[in-house]
Amino acid sequence: MNSSQVLFFTLGAYADPGPLRFLFFLLVLVLLLLIVFCNLLLIVVICVSRSLHEPMFLFLCSLFVNELLGSSGLFPFLLLQILADVHRVSAPLCFLQVFVLYLYGSVEFFVLAVMSYDRYVAICRPLQYHRLMTPQKVAVLLALTWALPFLTISVLVGMSAALPLCGNVIDRIYCGNYAIVKLSCSDTRLNNIYGLAYTVLSVLLPSLSILYSYARILQVCCSGSRQTRQKALSTCTPHLASILNFSFGCCFQILQSRFDRQRGSDPLQVFMSLYFLTCQPLFTPLLYGLKMTRIQDACQQLLCGGRAARPELRA
């Protein structure tokens, strides 16, 4: 059996939920609707509120768009599979899902890294902020956070799609690149090397950038005034919480896909494999919407027609 003969993949991690499948379907549907509503609301708020047309909020808007991208790559697929009796997916759709989900993960790390750089400049070099974070530079940073992952993942998926396969059973509840690579009949060393390089570029380098930015922020906060510490706390707390939440989910997912040899139908493994794809898209808009006063005021102004009254310290 080669790659041209594999017309579909079978997802082996699904267990028969019996009558509970409709409950699971309803829970996933409600979660999807919440994610779409929360992220769309904040995207619209940032776009229509001129007071939020600043680098930090533009990066946030890109983050919310990415949350919708990740949700669109998983939830409709998951809803169909919950109701299906035979858990199969066509090969082109499977590779499309791999592309969308990996793009979501990569863009998330890049946007979080760019946001940490923005916070570093705002807190550590406030007098130079507007000179360093010009509209042109913000546009370039936003373009790179999407263009680089798009190119690297296109190559990754193209290499996997070209592999000759000896099977079509993926022991997961959604399509994963390494799960497909493990089905190959041929030598996959080149795929593994590129996969490692992709992980370094998409995960390790942004993580190092985030660590460096927050190390400098911590250094300034320790030697700065009380006002500086309060400003750093108010703007960095939701960002740090988002980074930690997403990093935890991604690390588990990478370790599970690379080293786990047990079947993927274990409930805990299923939950953890879905964690960064289900919790992060809802966690991010709720966190920023609840913690950032200017976003709260803009939401109230948009939904209730009131005037935003509580200013927040600006960069």
Side-chain angles (χ1 to χ4, degrees):
M1 181 182 296
N2 57 41
S3 58
S4 63
Q5 294 172 322
V6 175
L7 302 178
F8 62 87
F9 292 98
T10 300
L11 303 171
Y14 283 90
D16 184 12
L20 291 178
R21 71 169 57 191
F22 298 105
L23 176 61
F24 293 154
F25 179 88
L26 183 61
L27 291 174
V28 173
L29 180 60
V30 170
L31 182 58
L32 173 60
L33 294 177
L34 283 174
I35 289 172
V36 172
F37 173 77
C38 293
N39 285 283
L40 272 181
L41 173 63
L42 294 187
I43 290 170
V44 172
V45 165
I46 292 174
C47 290
V48 302
S49 301
R50 291 191 176 183
S51 62
L52 299 183
H53 291 180
E54 300 177 4
M56 178 175 65
F57 297 104
L58 295 178
F59 295 141
L60 269 178
C61 187
S62 181
L63 193 66
F64 299 144
V65 170
N66 190 50
E67 306 300 354
L68 290 178
L69 172 69
S71 300
S72 67
L74 175 68
F75 281 97
F77 175 87
L78 198 58
L79 290 171
L80 291 175
Q81 292 298 325
I82 289 174
L83 295 180
D85 294 321
V86 179
H87 304 290
R88 290 181 176 179
V89 56
S90 66
L93 183 59
C94 190
F95 284 111
L96 177 61
Q97 185 180 49
V98 171
F99 178 83
V100 172
L101 295 184
Y102 277 58
L103 180 64
Y104 160 72
S106 297
V107 171
E108 192 86 358
F109 268 115
F110 275 99
V111 174
L112 291 173
V114 169
M115 290 175 65
S116 67
Y117 171 73
D118 174 75
R119 292 300 84 205
Y120 156 71
V121 176
I123 295 172
C124 300
R125 307 174 70 178
L127 299 180
Q128 299 176 315
Y129 181 80
H130 294 290
R131 182 177 64 83
L132 294 175
M133 299 300 295
T134 62
Q136 295 78 10
K137 187 172 184 178
V138 170
V140 170
L141 289 173
L142 286 173
L144 288 177
T145 58
W146 287 87
L148 286 178
F150 184 91
L151 293 175
T152 55
I153 295 166
S154 296
V155 175
L156 182 75
V157 174
M159 293 175 64
S160 299
L163 289 173
L165 304 180
C166 292
N168 67 342
V169 178
I170 299 176
D171 196 23
R172 301 185 63 177
I173 61 175
Y174 59 88
C175 297
N177 182 69
Y178 191 65
I180 297 175
V181 171
K182 289 191 293 185
L183 299 175
S184 176
C185 307
S186 63
D187 187 1
T188 61
R189 281 180 294 181
L190 184 60
N191 296 75
N192 291 330
I193 292 173
Y194 185 83
L196 179 61
Y198 159 79
T199 302
V200 170
L201 176 64
S202 301
V203 178
L204 184 59
L205 291 183
S207 298
L208 291 176
S209 173
I210 292 170
L211 288 174
Y212 173 79
S213 297
Y214 274 97
R216 295 297 304 273
I217 290 173
L218 181 62
Q219 181 182 10
V220 169
C221 289
C222 290
S223 59
S225 63
R226 181 179 179 182
Q227 183 181 9
T228 300
R229 289 193 292 270
Q230 289 179 341
K231 177 181 177 180
L233 183 65
S234 64
T235 60
C236 294
T237 298
H239 185 222
L240 277 174
S242 183
I243 291 171
L244 293 174
N245 182 68
F246 187 71
S247 298
F248 169 75
C250 281
C251 287
F252 182 88
Q253 178 63 19
I254 292 171
L255 293 174
Q256 183 189 41
S257 64
R258 287 281 173 173
F259 303 111
D260 186 25
R261 302 303 179 188
Q262 300 176 358
R263 291 190 59 82
S265 57
D266 178 73
L268 179 60
Q269 292 188 28
V270 170
F271 172 77
M272 293 307 300
S273 68
L274 289 172
Y275 181 83
F276 85 108
L277 293 169
T278 55
C279 294
Q280 183 74 3
L282 183 61
F283 179 77
T284 297
L286 289 179
L287 181 67
Y288 284 100
L290 292 173
K291 291 294 293 183
M292 301 194 73
T293 306
R294 289 175 64 183
I295 291 182
Q296 291 179 32
D297 292 338
C299 286
Q300 292 176 3
Q301 187 176 9
L302 178 67
L303 296 176
C304 305
R307 293 178 63 85
R310 292 176 299 174
E312 179 183 284
L313 287 172
R314 297 192 182 187

